[in-house]
Amino acid sequence: MAEAKQTENVVYVGNKPVMNYVLAAITQFNEGANTVTIKARGKAISRAVDVAEILRNRFMQNLNVQNIAIGTEQVQGESGTANVSTIEITLSK
Amino acid sequence: MAEAKQTENVVYVGNKPVMNYVLAAITQFNEGANTVTIKARGKAISRAVDVAEILRNRFMQNLNVQNIAIGTEQVQGESGTANVSTIEITLSK
C-alpha cells in the first residue's frame, strides 16, 4: 500500500559492499519513499557517507541532504560497555 | 592576537589516535576560537565523528553541532582518479 511508505525509510549500513546499500536506498525511493535515512555506527560511518554521495552524484541527482545527525550509543561488548559513534543521513527527493 | 582567531579554525583528522585530534580542537577553543571545523575524508570520516562526540560528551559539554556537510573530492592515485567522500563537522561554543 502506498500509505505504508509514508513512514520513515531506513537503510542500516554495515560491512557489506557499498553498492548493496545504494541499491537498497534506490529501491525504497522507487517504492514511493520521499525520504530515506541512512544509518551507521562505528567504522561503517564512512561507508554511510559513501552511500549518500554515490546516490546523489551518480544515481539520483535530485536528492537533497535534508539532515545529518551524529550521536553516541553504548554497546555491550565482551569486556564491558563501550561507546560507539553513530550517524544518520536523511536524504529527500 | 585575538583578531587572528576570528578566522575559521580547522582540525584535519587522519590516521593518528583520536585523542590527538580531540586535544587539537580543545587547544583551538582555548586559544579563543568560537567555532572549530573537523574535516576528514575516506576511512577517517568515522574518526572525525568520534572526535566530535568525545569533545561534546567528555570535555566541552557546552559545544553545539552547528553544521555537518558531506561531499566528494577527486583524488589522484597511482591507478588514475578516484572519488573519496568528505565530511566537515562544525562545532561552536
Short mmCIF file of all heavy atoms in Angstrom, two decimals, chain B residues 30-79:
data_model
loop_
_atom_site.label_atom_id
_atom_site.label_comp_id
_atom_site.label_asym_id
_atom_site.label_seq_id
_atom_site.Cartn_x
_atom_site.Cartn_y
_atom_site.Cartn_z
N ASN B 30 40.49 26.88 23.32
CA ASN B 30 41.12 27.59 24.44
C ASN B 30 41.88 28.82 24.00
O ASN B 30 42.07 29.76 24.78
CB ASN B 30 42.06 26.64 25.20
CG ASN B 30 41.29 25.66 26.06
OD1 ASN B 30 40.09 25.83 26.30
ND2 ASN B 30 41.95 24.61 26.50
N GLU B 31 42.33 28.82 22.75
CA GLU B 31 43.03 30.00 22.21
C GLU B 31 42.06 31.05 21.71
O GLU B 31 42.47 32.03 21.10
CB GLU B 31 43.98 29.57 21.09
CG GLU B 31 45.23 28.86 21.62
CD GLU B 31 46.14 28.36 20.51
OE1 GLU B 31 45.71 28.38 19.33
OE2 GLU B 31 47.26 27.94 20.82
N GLY B 32 40.77 30.83 21.87
CA GLY B 32 39.80 31.87 21.57
C GLY B 32 38.86 31.60 20.41
O GLY B 32 38.00 32.42 20.10
N ALA B 33 39.00 30.45 19.76
CA ALA B 33 38.10 30.14 18.65
C ALA B 33 36.68 29.94 19.17
O ALA B 33 36.47 29.34 20.22
CB ALA B 33 38.56 28.88 17.93
N ASN B 34 35.70 30.48 18.44
CA ASN B 34 34.30 30.23 18.78
C ASN B 34 33.73 29.04 18.02
O ASN B 34 32.76 28.43 18.45
CB ASN B 34 33.45 31.47 18.49
CG ASN B 34 33.76 32.58 19.47
OD1 ASN B 34 33.85 32.34 20.67
ND2 ASN B 34 33.93 33.79 18.96
N THR B 35 34.31 28.76 16.86
CA THR B 35 33.93 27.56 16.10
C THR B 35 35.18 26.82 15.67
O THR B 35 36.21 27.43 15.38
CB THR B 35 33.11 27.91 14.84
OG1 THR B 35 33.97 28.54 13.89
CG2 THR B 35 31.94 28.81 15.15
N VAL B 36 35.10 25.52 15.66
CA VAL B 36 36.17 24.67 15.12
C VAL B 36 35.51 23.68 14.16
O VAL B 36 34.50 23.07 14.49
CB VAL B 36 36.93 23.93 16.24
CG1 VAL B 36 37.88 22.90 15.64
CG2 VAL B 36 37.70 24.91 17.11
N THR B 37 36.09 23.55 12.96
CA THR B 37 35.57 22.62 11.97
C THR B 37 36.49 21.41 11.89
O THR B 37 37.70 21.55 11.70
CB THR B 37 35.44 23.29 10.60
OG1 THR B 37 34.56 24.40 10.70
CG2 THR B 37 34.87 22.31 9.57
N ILE B 38 35.91 20.23 12.04
CA ILE B 38 36.64 18.97 12.00
C ILE B 38 36.43 18.38 10.61
O ILE B 38 35.30 18.11 10.21
CB ILE B 38 36.14 18.03 13.10
CG1 ILE B 38 36.41 18.66 14.46
CG2 ILE B 38 36.80 16.66 13.00
CD1 ILE B 38 35.60 18.06 15.57
N LYS B 39 37.53 18.22 9.87
CA LYS B 39 37.43 17.75 8.49
C LYS B 39 38.14 16.41 8.34
O LYS B 39 39.18 16.17 8.94
CB LYS B 39 38.07 18.76 7.53
CG LYS B 39 37.38 20.11 7.47
CD LYS B 39 37.95 20.97 6.36
CE LYS B 39 37.27 22.34 6.34
NZ LYS B 39 37.69 23.15 5.17
N ALA B 40 37.56 15.56 7.49
CA ALA B 40 38.18 14.26 7.21
C ALA B 40 37.68 13.76 5.88
O ALA B 40 36.67 14.24 5.36
CB ALA B 40 37.85 13.25 8.31
N ARG B 41 38.40 12.78 5.33
CA ARG B 41 37.91 12.12 4.13
C ARG B 41 38.22 10.63 4.18
O ARG B 41 39.09 10.19 4.94
CB ARG B 41 38.47 12.78 2.87
CG ARG B 41 39.95 12.84 2.79
CD ARG B 41 40.33 13.73 1.59
NE ARG B 41 41.71 13.53 1.22
CZ ARG B 41 42.32 14.17 0.24
NH1 ARG B 41 41.67 15.08 -0.46
NH2 ARG B 41 43.57 13.93 -0.06
N GLY B 42 37.47 9.89 3.37
CA GLY B 42 37.67 8.44 3.30
C GLY B 42 37.41 7.77 4.63
O GLY B 42 36.47 8.12 5.34
N LYS B 43 38.27 6.79 4.95
CA LYS B 43 38.05 6.00 6.16
C LYS B 43 38.19 6.81 7.44
O LYS B 43 37.74 6.38 8.51
CB LYS B 43 39.04 4.83 6.19
CG LYS B 43 38.72 3.75 5.18
CD LYS B 43 39.55 2.51 5.45
CE LYS B 43 39.57 1.57 4.25
NZ LYS B 43 38.23 1.16 3.81
N ALA B 44 38.82 7.97 7.37
CA ALA B 44 38.99 8.81 8.57
C ALA B 44 37.69 9.50 8.97
O ALA B 44 37.62 10.11 10.05
CB ALA B 44 40.08 9.85 8.34
N ILE B 45 36.65 9.40 8.13
CA ILE B 45 35.38 10.07 8.45
C ILE B 45 34.81 9.58 9.78
O ILE B 45 34.34 10.38 10.59
CB ILE B 45 34.37 9.88 7.29
CG1 ILE B 45 34.79 10.76 6.10
CG2 ILE B 45 32.96 10.16 7.74
CD1 ILE B 45 33.95 10.56 4.85
N SER B 46 34.86 8.27 10.01
CA SER B 46 34.30 7.77 11.27
C SER B 46 35.10 8.28 12.46
O SER B 46 34.53 8.56 13.52
CB SER B 46 34.21 6.24 11.27
OG SER B 46 35.40 5.66 10.80
N ARG B 47 36.42 8.46 12.28
CA ARG B 47 37.22 9.02 13.37
C ARG B 47 36.86 10.49 13.63
O ARG B 47 36.86 10.94 14.77
CB ARG B 47 38.72 8.87 13.06
CG ARG B 47 39.60 9.24 14.24
CD ARG B 47 41.07 8.89 14.03
NE ARG B 47 41.26 7.46 13.98
CZ ARG B 47 41.70 6.79 12.91
NH1 ARG B 47 42.04 7.42 11.82
NH2 ARG B 47 41.81 5.49 12.96
N ALA B 48 36.52 11.22 12.58
CA ALA B 48 36.12 12.61 12.76
C ALA B 48 34.84 12.71 13.61
O ALA B 48 34.71 13.60 14.45
CB ALA B 48 35.90 13.27 11.39
N VAL B 49 33.91 11.78 13.38
CA VAL B 49 32.69 11.76 14.20
C VAL B 49 33.05 11.41 15.64
O VAL B 49 32.52 12.02 16.59
CB VAL B 49 31.66 10.77 13.62
CG1 VAL B 49 30.43 10.68 14.53
CG2 VAL B 49 31.24 11.20 12.22
N ASP B 50 33.98 10.46 15.83
CA ASP B 50 34.45 10.15 17.19
C ASP B 50 35.01 11.40 17.87
O ASP B 50 34.73 11.65 19.05
CB ASP B 50 35.55 9.08 17.15
CG ASP B 50 35.03 7.69 16.78
OD1 ASP B 50 33.81 7.47 16.89
OD2 ASP B 50 35.85 6.86 16.39
N VAL B 51 35.82 12.17 17.14
CA VAL B 51 36.43 13.38 17.71
C VAL B 51 35.33 14.33 18.20
O VAL B 51 35.36 14.83 19.34
CB VAL B 51 37.33 14.09 16.67
CG1 VAL B 51 37.76 15.46 17.17
CG2 VAL B 51 38.55 13.23 16.36
N ALA B 52 34.34 14.57 17.36
CA ALA B 52 33.26 15.49 17.72
C ALA B 52 32.48 14.97 18.93
O ALA B 52 32.15 15.74 19.85
CB ALA B 52 32.32 15.68 16.53
N GLU B 53 32.20 13.68 18.95
CA GLU B 53 31.39 13.12 20.04
C GLU B 53 32.15 13.09 21.36
O GLU B 53 31.58 13.38 22.41
CB GLU B 53 30.91 11.71 19.66
CG GLU B 53 29.80 11.73 18.62
CD GLU B 53 28.55 12.39 19.16
OE1 GLU B 53 28.00 11.91 20.18
OE2 GLU B 53 28.13 13.41 18.58
N ILE B 54 33.44 12.77 21.30
CA ILE B 54 34.24 12.76 22.54
C ILE B 54 34.37 14.18 23.09
O ILE B 54 34.25 14.41 24.29
CB ILE B 54 35.63 12.12 22.27
CG1 ILE B 54 35.45 10.62 22.01
CG2 ILE B 54 36.59 12.36 23.43
CD1 ILE B 54 36.71 9.93 21.51
N LEU B 55 34.58 15.14 22.17
CA LEU B 55 34.65 16.54 22.60
C LEU B 55 33.39 16.96 23.32
O LEU B 55 33.42 17.53 24.41
CB LEU B 55 34.83 17.45 21.38
CG LEU B 55 36.24 17.85 20.99
CD1 LEU B 55 36.20 18.58 19.66
CD2 LEU B 55 36.85 18.75 22.06
N ARG B 56 32.25 16.67 22.70
CA ARG B 56 30.97 17.13 23.23
C ARG B 56 30.58 16.41 24.51
O ARG B 56 30.00 17.01 25.42
CB ARG B 56 29.86 16.89 22.21
CG ARG B 56 29.90 17.78 21.00
CD ARG B 56 28.91 17.27 19.99
NE ARG B 56 27.55 17.26 20.51
CZ ARG B 56 26.58 16.45 20.12
NH1 ARG B 56 26.82 15.55 19.20
NH2 ARG B 56 25.38 16.54 20.64
N ASN B 57 30.85 15.12 24.57
CA ASN B 57 30.36 14.33 25.70
C ASN B 57 31.30 14.33 26.90
O ASN B 57 30.86 14.18 28.02
CB ASN B 57 30.12 12.88 25.25
CG ASN B 57 28.98 12.76 24.27
OD1 ASN B 57 28.02 13.53 24.34
ND2 ASN B 57 29.07 11.84 23.34
N ARG B 58 32.60 14.49 26.63
CA ARG B 58 33.53 14.30 27.72
C ARG B 58 34.26 15.57 28.15
O ARG B 58 34.55 15.76 29.32
CB ARG B 58 34.56 13.23 27.32
CG ARG B 58 35.02 12.43 28.53
CD ARG B 58 36.15 11.49 28.19
NE ARG B 58 35.80 10.50 27.18
CZ ARG B 58 36.70 9.65 26.66
NH1 ARG B 58 37.97 9.69 27.06
NH2 ARG B 58 36.33 8.78 25.76
N PHE B 59 34.56 16.47 27.19
CA PHE B 59 35.45 17.58 27.52
C PHE B 59 34.78 18.95 27.49
O PHE B 59 35.11 19.82 28.29
CB PHE B 59 36.66 17.58 26.58
CG PHE B 59 37.55 16.41 26.75
CD1 PHE B 59 37.52 15.35 25.88
CD2 PHE B 59 38.42 16.35 27.84
CE1 PHE B 59 38.34 14.24 26.05
CE2 PHE B 59 39.25 15.25 28.02
CZ PHE B 59 39.20 14.19 27.12
N MET B 60 33.88 19.18 26.55
CA MET B 60 33.29 20.51 26.41
C MET B 60 31.79 20.35 26.18
O MET B 60 31.30 20.40 25.05
CB MET B 60 33.94 21.27 25.23
CG MET B 60 35.44 21.45 25.41
SD MET B 60 36.17 22.42 24.06
CE MET B 60 35.44 24.03 24.37
N GLN B 61 31.06 20.18 27.29
CA GLN B 61 29.64 19.85 27.16
C GLN B 61 28.79 21.01 26.66
O GLN B 61 27.60 20.85 26.36
CB GLN B 61 29.10 19.32 28.49
CG GLN B 61 29.21 17.79 28.58
CD GLN B 61 29.96 17.33 29.80
OE1 GLN B 61 30.08 18.06 30.77
NE2 GLN B 61 30.47 16.12 29.77
N ASN B 62 29.41 22.20 26.56
CA ASN B 62 28.67 23.36 26.05
C ASN B 62 28.75 23.49 24.53
O ASN B 62 28.21 24.44 23.96
CB ASN B 62 29.21 24.65 26.69
CG ASN B 62 30.71 24.83 26.45
OD1 ASN B 62 31.41 23.85 26.16
ND2 ASN B 62 31.18 26.06 26.55
N LEU B 63 29.39 22.55 23.85
CA LEU B 63 29.52 22.66 22.40
C LEU B 63 28.24 22.25 21.68
O LEU B 63 27.55 21.32 22.10
CB LEU B 63 30.65 21.76 21.89
CG LEU B 63 32.08 22.18 22.18
CD1 LEU B 63 33.04 21.24 21.47
CD2 LEU B 63 32.33 23.61 21.74
N ASN B 64 27.95 22.96 20.59
CA ASN B 64 26.84 22.60 19.72
C ASN B 64 27.38 22.15 18.36
O ASN B 64 28.38 22.68 17.89
CB ASN B 64 25.91 23.79 19.48
CG ASN B 64 25.28 24.26 20.76
OD1 ASN B 64 24.69 23.47 21.47
ND2 ASN B 64 25.43 25.55 21.05
N VAL B 65 26.67 21.21 17.75
CA VAL B 65 26.98 20.86 16.36
C VAL B 65 26.28 21.89 15.48
O VAL B 65 25.07 21.87 15.32
CB VAL B 65 26.50 19.44 16.01
CG1 VAL B 65 26.79 19.13 14.56
CG2 VAL B 65 27.17 18.43 16.92
N GLN B 66 27.07 22.85 14.96
CA GLN B 66 26.48 23.95 14.19
C GLN B 66 26.10 23.49 12.79
O GLN B 66 25.07 23.90 12.25
CB GLN B 66 27.49 25.09 14.11
CG GLN B 66 26.96 26.35 13.49
CD GLN B 66 28.04 27.43 13.51
OE1 GLN B 66 28.53 27.83 14.57
NE2 GLN B 66 28.42 27.90 12.34
N ASN B 67 26.95 22.65 12.19
CA ASN B 67 26.66 22.19 10.83
C ASN B 67 27.45 20.92 10.55
O ASN B 67 28.55 20.74 11.06
CB ASN B 67 27.03 23.26 9.80
CG ASN B 67 26.50 22.92 8.42
OD1 ASN B 67 25.33 22.60 8.26
ND2 ASN B 67 27.37 22.94 7.43
N ILE B 68 26.86 20.04 9.72
CA ILE B 68 27.59 18.88 9.21
C ILE B 68 27.38 18.85 7.71
O ILE B 68 26.23 18.85 7.24
CB ILE B 68 27.10 17.55 9.83
CG1 ILE B 68 27.16 17.60 11.36
CG2 ILE B 68 27.92 16.39 9.30
CD1 ILE B 68 26.57 16.36 12.02
N ALA B 69 28.46 18.85 6.95
CA ALA B 69 28.37 18.80 5.49
C ALA B 69 29.14 17.59 4.99
O ALA B 69 30.20 17.25 5.51
CB ALA B 69 28.94 20.07 4.88
N ILE B 70 28.57 16.92 3.98
CA ILE B 70 29.29 15.83 3.32
C ILE B 70 29.51 16.20 1.87
O ILE B 70 28.80 17.04 1.31
CB ILE B 70 28.54 14.48 3.44
CG1 ILE B 70 27.14 14.57 2.83
CG2 ILE B 70 28.48 14.04 4.89
CD1 ILE B 70 26.40 13.24 2.81
N GLY B 71 30.54 15.60 1.27
CA GLY B 71 30.86 15.91 -0.12
C GLY B 71 31.74 14.85 -0.72
O GLY B 71 32.01 13.82 -0.11
N THR B 72 32.18 15.11 -1.95
CA THR B 72 33.04 14.18 -2.68
C THR B 72 34.20 14.96 -3.29
O THR B 72 34.00 16.03 -3.84
CB THR B 72 32.24 13.48 -3.81
OG1 THR B 72 31.14 12.79 -3.24
CG2 THR B 72 33.11 12.51 -4.58
N GLU B 73 35.40 14.41 -3.12
CA GLU B 73 36.58 15.00 -3.76
C GLU B 73 37.20 13.99 -4.69
O GLU B 73 37.11 12.79 -4.47
CB GLU B 73 37.62 15.41 -2.70
CG GLU B 73 37.31 16.68 -1.98
CD GLU B 73 38.37 17.01 -0.94
OE1 GLU B 73 39.45 16.39 -0.96
OE2 GLU B 73 38.10 17.88 -0.09
N GLN B 74 37.86 14.50 -5.73
CA GLN B 74 38.60 13.62 -6.62
C GLN B 74 40.06 13.59 -6.18
O GLN B 74 40.68 14.64 -5.99
CB GLN B 74 38.48 14.10 -8.06
CG GLN B 74 37.05 14.02 -8.56
CD GLN B 74 36.98 13.82 -10.05
OE1 GLN B 74 37.73 14.43 -10.80
NE2 GLN B 74 36.11 12.93 -10.48
N VAL B 75 40.56 12.37 -6.01
CA VAL B 75 41.94 12.20 -5.56
C VAL B 75 42.74 11.50 -6.64
O VAL B 75 42.28 10.51 -7.23
CB VAL B 75 41.98 11.38 -4.24
CG1 VAL B 75 43.41 11.06 -3.85
CG2 VAL B 75 41.29 12.16 -3.14
N GLN B 76 43.94 12.02 -6.89
CA GLN B 76 44.83 11.43 -7.89
C GLN B 76 45.59 10.27 -7.26
O GLN B 76 46.35 10.47 -6.31
CB GLN B 76 45.82 12.51 -8.37
CG GLN B 76 46.20 12.39 -9.82
CD GLN B 76 45.05 12.72 -10.76
OE1 GLN B 76 44.00 13.19 -10.34
NE2 GLN B 76 45.23 12.47 -12.04
N GLY B 77 45.36 9.07 -7.76
CA GLY B 77 46.07 7.91 -7.21
C GLY B 77 46.99 7.30 -8.26
O GLY B 77 47.13 7.83 -9.36
N GLU B 78 47.62 6.18 -7.89
CA GLU B 78 48.53 5.51 -8.82
C GLU B 78 47.80 5.02 -10.07
O GLU B 78 48.34 5.03 -11.17
CB GLU B 78 49.20 4.32 -8.12
CG GLU B 78 50.22 4.73 -7.08
CD GLU B 78 50.82 3.53 -6.36
OE1 GLU B 78 50.58 2.40 -6.79
OE2 GLU B 78 51.52 3.74 -5.35
N SER B 79 46.58 4.57 -9.87
CA SER B 79 45.84 3.99 -11.00
C SER B 79 44.73 4.95 -11.46
O SER B 79 43.62 4.53 -11.72
CB SER B 79 45.24 2.65 -10.59
OG SER B 79 44.53 2.81 -9.37
#
